[in-house]
Amino acid sequence: IAPVEFLLPANQGVITSLLIESREGERVRVVRGADGWVLVQPLEAEADPASAEAAASQATALTVLSRVEVDPDVVGLKSPMYIIKVGFSSGKSTIIKIGDATPTDTGYYVSKEDGSVLVIDKYGMDALLNLLLYPPFLETPTPSPVPSTKTPTPPTASETPTVTKMP
C-alpha cells in the first residue's frame, strides 16, 4: 500500500489563514487571531469557530490521488476556477490553483507553486470550496419582528342557506 500524500505540507505548522477566490472574483478569507477565527472577506466579522476550523482541517486533509504529466493549460490551470492561498503558523504560505474536474469527475487537477500538476480528491475539495457559498458568519441575522396582521374572515350569513330542488 502506497503512503498517503497530502496536498499541504504538514511541517509548516497549523493553518492561520485561508483565502479562496473564484475565477469570477468571489472571495472568502478567514484568519486565525489570538481570540479565534475572524472573517475578513467578503466582510469583516467574527467567524463561526467551528466552521472556520472545519475548513482548515479539510484543507490539511486534502489527499493527492496522483501526479500527472500534462500541459497545465489543457486541464484548466492557465485560468483556474479557484485559487486558494493558505497561510501557516511558520510564516510561510502556499498557493494552490484549482483547474478542471477529471474526466471521471472524481478529482480536480491542481497545481502548486512548483508547477507540478496533481489530481486531488474532488469530494474533499468541494467541501472546502463550499466556504465560498457559505461563509462562516458567527451569527445569522435575526429577522425584525413583524407586526401581526389580522386575517380577514368572511362575514357571517344571517340566514341559513337552503337547497332548492329544480324540476
Side-chain angles (χ1 to χ4, degrees):
I1 298 175
V4 175
E5 180 182 357
F6 293 100
L7 181 64
L8 297 175
N11 62 352
Q12 296 299 325
V14 297
I15 292 179
T16 56
S17 66
L18 194 57
L19 167 68
I20 303 173
E21 183 173 5
S22 74
R23 184 184 298 153
E24 293 78 27
E26 298 169 292
R27 296 168 67 109
V28 64
R29 182 170 183 235
V30 291
V31 176
R32 186 191 309 258
D35 296 328
W37 288 97
V38 177
L39 182 65
V40 179
Q41 289 177 323
L43 55 93
E44 289 195 31
E46 202 173 335
D48 174 41
S51 296
E53 194 61 46
S57 294
Q58 185 63 42
T60 60
L62 291 170
T63 56
V64 174
L65 300 177
S66 63
R67 293 179 168 272
V68 292
E69 295 294 324
V70 64
D71 180 353
D73 295 354
V74 173
V75 293
L77 293 168
K78 182 177 182 179
S79 175
M81 290 190 313
Y82 302 97
I83 294 176
I84 299 174
K85 184 174 182 181
V86 183
F88 296 96
S89 57
S90 66
K92 297 195 177 195
S93 62
T94 298
I95 296 175
I96 304 158
K97 295 178 181 177
I98 315 301
D100 298 336
T102 59
T104 58
D105 205 36
T106 58
Y108 283 111
Y109 293 101
V110 304
S111 68
K112 293 170 68 169
E113 292 156 308
D114 64 5
S116 60
V117 178
L118 312 166
V119 175
I120 58 162
D121 177 55
K122 186 175 187 298
Y123 178 78
M125 180 54 78
D126 282 342
L128 181 59
L129 295 175
N130 273 334
L131 209 60
L132 269 177
L133 296 173
Y134 309 105
F137 296 110
L138 181 60
E139 298 177 17
T140 303
T142 306
S144 301
V146 178
S148 63
T149 56
K150 204 171 182 185
T151 305
T153 55
T156 56
S158 55
E159 302 179 4
T160 306
T162 57
V163 177
T164 311
K165 243 184 178 179
M166 299 294 280

